[in-house]
Amino acid sequence: MAMHIHASWSEGAASMHGHLDQATRAGIDVLWWTEHDFRMAEHGYPNLVHMDGPAEQVNGVAWSWAEKREGTLASSRVLWDKAMASPGDASTPGSVRLSATSAGRDAAAARIAASAANTVSQRSLYDQTIEVDVFPAEVSPHACLAVVVTTSWRPATAGRPAGKYTLTYLVDGTQGKSRSRSGLNAVVHLPARQGRWNTLRMSPAEDIARFWPDLENRDAAMLSLTLGAVSEKERPVDGWFDLLRISRPARSADDSLRVQAAVMAGYAARFPAVRQYQGLEVSLIKPTHVNWYGPKITMPTFAKPRPVADPDPAAALAVIQMIHSTGGLASYNHPFGTGRPAELTPAGQDALRAAVAKTVLADRAMGCDILEVGYPSRGGVDLDRHSQLWDVCSRNALFLTGTGVSDDHSGQNWLGQESNFVTWAHAPSRDLDDLLAALAAGQVYFGDPARFSGVVDLLVDGAAPMGSVTTSTAATRTVRAILTGLPADGFVRVVQGTVDLAGVAKPEPGTTFTDIPASSWAKGFVDLPIDTRAPRFVRVEVRDRTGRAIALSNPVWLLRDTPNGGIPAARCVR
């Protein structure tokens, strides 16, 4: 299962098309779409930009324009002009003047590229209309004003190469609307009178459908938006832009989820090997984002008018309760943060692990069911420290199912990228109920699908499966480690820890480990005697000859009595 995937309703280059192609190639047969909730809803997104300067606040969100030059220019200018404004924007005087003259026959340009805080300048193009006012002062077929919309990356299809698709809207003095296409690039000539203000109206999703009818046009995001003055053959171009508007018809909060479901249904016939499920990443809460897996996904209510996180812990707890009330499961995502910086020093990683462990223990992971463990590196922290954070939870009878995820936003090279972990479930089918039951019970394992394609499982005393919590007063118990597909020159690390409820005062994993050669699994299993005179948890890791962890089991807990919080029903052995 690919359990944390973003496509054209989130930031990043990915399309659903690209991810489904990658899942098929990688042999991953379940994919959960976990778009950011506020991005799907475009909650608080900028929709009217006055363009009275290179930076402004729109709906309380910082919006800015960055200058770009392309090709060889004899002259160019980007001028924020307070003396010139569209009649539709007279109350907020100002516009941007773009001028360019190429130094030869080849095209050259002066452009400005849009960006916004938290990348909210990127958005789904489904049903989207873009309008901008333009004053062409000097344009011609070789000297034009341009609006360029770069859209989502897609795999090679219909004889076209893989890549991002681009729509270019030109004002060049021609008064008829015409269209042309070459490969992944399409051009629309828009009529606009010189020497006066005009409003350009663009519907990129509709144009995608016209130019590339084989594509699902609702599966497209605006990755970038640029305005420019483009010159070739030394012809001068000059003009103003003002009052950018981005809009779509008013609909219910759940409309984007319904559209996503329709797109999923359409892709199901094209990618029959991949079972798709709707999830959602609830993102405007603290201390971290939460993935929602379940049968009744709806758009949450947003506490603030702007797309910023609500720091109130009660807001996060309410989200978890809502997820559980619908029969869903909640995942505590990327516990060390969303960034992907260089790894900290070992001491720095240990300190951060301890600090995060205190937070997770203090509120019992907000009541989440799942912890994202399987990141080779995330937030400056390696996989071992992610696993150790999980062990701290296990030590404190916080029973969380560990998963491996990619949090992929690109839809390209699933197997080759560093963050490529997936999760495998011991479930009777790929039906939603069976997968949710396996996740709730901890009957899953996770790892690197480029390096491991075997099976990992645990069985306690011949009866209790991986993920189970059992009690016994026996001094010794047996955990059978069932493993196949091991690297011949690798080894299995058996990780054990005491369930001593050490609490936030001692946020350390307290584990020991034993390494056993992979050759010991010639029969497919090894029975491990476990000293249970004190309560224990046990899990295993598959490692290659370099010591890299390529697959991890979920734990089993071997307790001597029932903990104060009880044992989750899904983990009980009946």
Side-chain angles (χ1 to χ4, degrees):
M1 299 187 292
M3 295 190 64
H4 192 158
I5 297 295
H6 294 274
S8 51
W9 271 275
S10 292
E11 81 284 23
S15 62
M16 297 170 72
H17 185 179
H19 280 306
L20 287 164
D21 178 73
Q22 286 295 306
T24 301
R25 292 174 184 273
I28 306 304
D29 61 359
V30 174
L31 189 158
W32 299 81
W33 299 112
T34 54
E35 304 282 24
H36 294 286
D37 56 345
F38 77 98
R39 296 187 189 279
M40 286 198 84
E42 295 188 4
H43 172 68
Y45 269 39
N47 52 22
L48 190 153
V49 183
H50 290 286
M51 302 185 65
D52 55 348
E56 62 183 282
Q57 292 287 315
V58 185
N59 297 346
V61 175
W63 181 285
S64 62
W65 299 93
E67 294 186 23
K68 300 170 60 178
R69 299 296 196 282
E70 298 171 2
T72 304
L73 288 157
S75 64
S76 66
R77 177 166 56 174
V78 175
L79 173 67
W80 295 96
D81 188 350
K82 292 292 186 181
M84 187 74 160
S86 161
D89 200 26
S91 62
T92 309
S95 61
V96 62
R97 184 177 186 179
L98 302 179
S99 306
T101 303
S102 68
R105 296 184 60 83
D106 294 338
R111 303 186 194 270
I112 55 172
S115 65
N118 203 12
T119 63
V120 296
S121 53
Q122 296 185 15
R123 59 210 297 168
S124 168
L125 286 172
Y126 152 67
D127 217 11
Q128 201 81 261
T129 298
I130 301 172
E131 296 177 291
V132 66
D133 291 351
V134 61
F135 188 108
E138 187 173 6
V139 294
S140 70
H142 297 291
C144 56
L145 299 176
V147 179
V148 181
V149 178
T150 303
T151 78
S152 301
W153 188 95
R154 298 174 187 267
T157 186
R160 301 185 298 271
K164 299 172 185 176
Y165 284 65
T166 300
L167 296 164
T168 300
Y169 299 90
L170 297 180
V171 173
D172 60 4
T174 58
Q175 295 310 307
K177 191 171 186 178
S178 62
R179 298 180 175 88
S180 61
R181 185 195 79 185
S182 176
L184 310 186
N185 303 300
V187 176
V188 180
H189 294 262
L190 297 176
R193 298 289 182 183
Q194 293 195 59
R196 55 176 285 188
W197 283 102
N198 305 257
T199 295
L200 306 181
R201 291 181 177 85
M202 296 152 280
S203 299
E206 293 180 8
D207 287 323
I208 289 172
R210 290 189 186 99
F211 286 116
W212 302 285
D214 59 297
L215 298 182
E216 170 52 80
N217 70 319
R218 295 170 295 182
D219 177 24
M222 180 170 70
L223 303 183
S224 66
L225 172 68
T226 64
L227 310 178
V230 184
S231 165
E232 59 184 14
K233 298 183 178 180
E234 303 178 3
R235 304 292 175 82
V237 56
D238 185 24
W240 286 262
F241 288 95
D242 193 13
L243 197 61
L244 172 68
R245 289 91 81 196
I246 304 173
S247 63
R248 64 159 46 100
R251 291 190 173 89
S252 72
D254 288 331
D255 179 65
S256 55
L257 287 167
R258 286 191 288 270
V259 174
Q260 183 191 50
V263 175
M264 289 165 58
Y267 277 137
R270 186 169 181 178
F271 298 97
V274 184
R275 184 76 63 88
Q276 303 172 69
Y277 289 110
Q278 272 187 318
L280 196 67
E281 185 167 19
V282 183
S283 305
L284 298 184
I285 54 175
K286 293 288 187 179
T288 192
H289 302 173
V290 170
N291 269 359
W292 178 356
Y293 306 105
K296 301 174 183 177
I297 306 296
T298 59
M299 198 61 65
T301 300
F302 300 103
K304 296 181 178 294
R306 294 186 292 121
V308 295
D310 186 346
D312 184 356
L317 295 175
V319 165
I320 309 303
Q321 292 168 3
M322 176 188 66
I323 292 171
H324 288 160
S325 72
T326 65
L329 299 176
S331 170
Y332 197 104
N333 288 357
H334 32 66
F336 295 100
T338 59
R340 299 181 188 270
E343 286 184 1
L344 301 171
T345 64
Q349 292 188 55
D350 289 340
L352 182 56
R353 183 206 64 214
V356 171
K358 289 180 180 180
T359 298
V360 174
L361 291 177
D363 61 9
R364 304 293 288 179
M366 302 186 293
C368 285
D369 313 281
I370 295 166
L371 178 68
E372 288 187 342
V373 177
Y375 284 110
S377 181
R378 191 76 189 265
V381 174
D382 63 17
L383 176 58
D384 283 345
R385 270 71 173 198
H386 278 82
S387 300
Q388 290 163 12
L389 171 64
W390 189 26
D391 291 336
V392 174
C393 297
S394 296
R395 178 181 189 175
N396 286 277
L398 179 50
F399 307 116
L400 295 173
T401 296
T403 58
V405 299
S406 66
D407 193 5
D408 189 285
H409 289 64
S410 71
Q412 307 165 49
N413 195 24
W414 270 21
L415 295 181
Q417 63 191 4
E418 179 188 34
S419 186
N420 68 349
F421 272 34
V422 298
T423 300
W424 294 277
H426 291 295
S429 77
R430 294 184 296 164
D431 291 347
L432 181 61
D433 288 348
D434 287 337
L435 296 178
L436 291 175
L439 285 164
Q443 292 173 18
V444 302
Y445 58 102
F446 54 93
D448 179 345
R451 294 177 172 85
F452 184 77
S453 58
V455 172
V456 177
D457 202 0
L458 300 177
L459 187 66
V460 179
D461 296 333
M466 181 167 61
S468 63
V469 182
T470 55
T471 61
S472 171
T473 57
T476 303
R477 300 178 68 184
T478 300
V479 174
R480 174 167 288 187
I482 304 164
L483 304 169
T484 66
L486 301 179
D489 51 358
F491 60 93
V492 174
R493 175 163 292 176
V494 180
V495 180
Q496 297 189 47
T498 303
V499 185
D500 59 2
L501 311 180
V504 297
K506 197 172 184 180
E508 301 298 325
T511 51
T512 60
F513 62 84
T514 303
D515 292 339
I516 304 174
S519 58
S520 301
W521 270 264
K523 294 182 179 180
F525 67 89
V526 168
D527 286 331
L528 306 169
I530 306 297
D531 182 349
T532 52
R533 287 174 293 178
R536 310 286 289 172
F537 67 90
V538 181
R539 61 180 181 84
V540 298
E541 302 172 348
V542 178
R543 294 184 175 249
D544 65 17
R545 62 182 179 83
T546 70
R548 178 204 295 259
I550 59 174
L552 295 86
S553 79
N554 261 266
V556 290
W557 286 265
L558 314 175
L559 307 183
R560 296 188 66 81
D561 49 40
T562 301
N564 289 336
I567 298 172
R571 297 183 184 274
C572 291
V573 178
R574 296 176 174 82

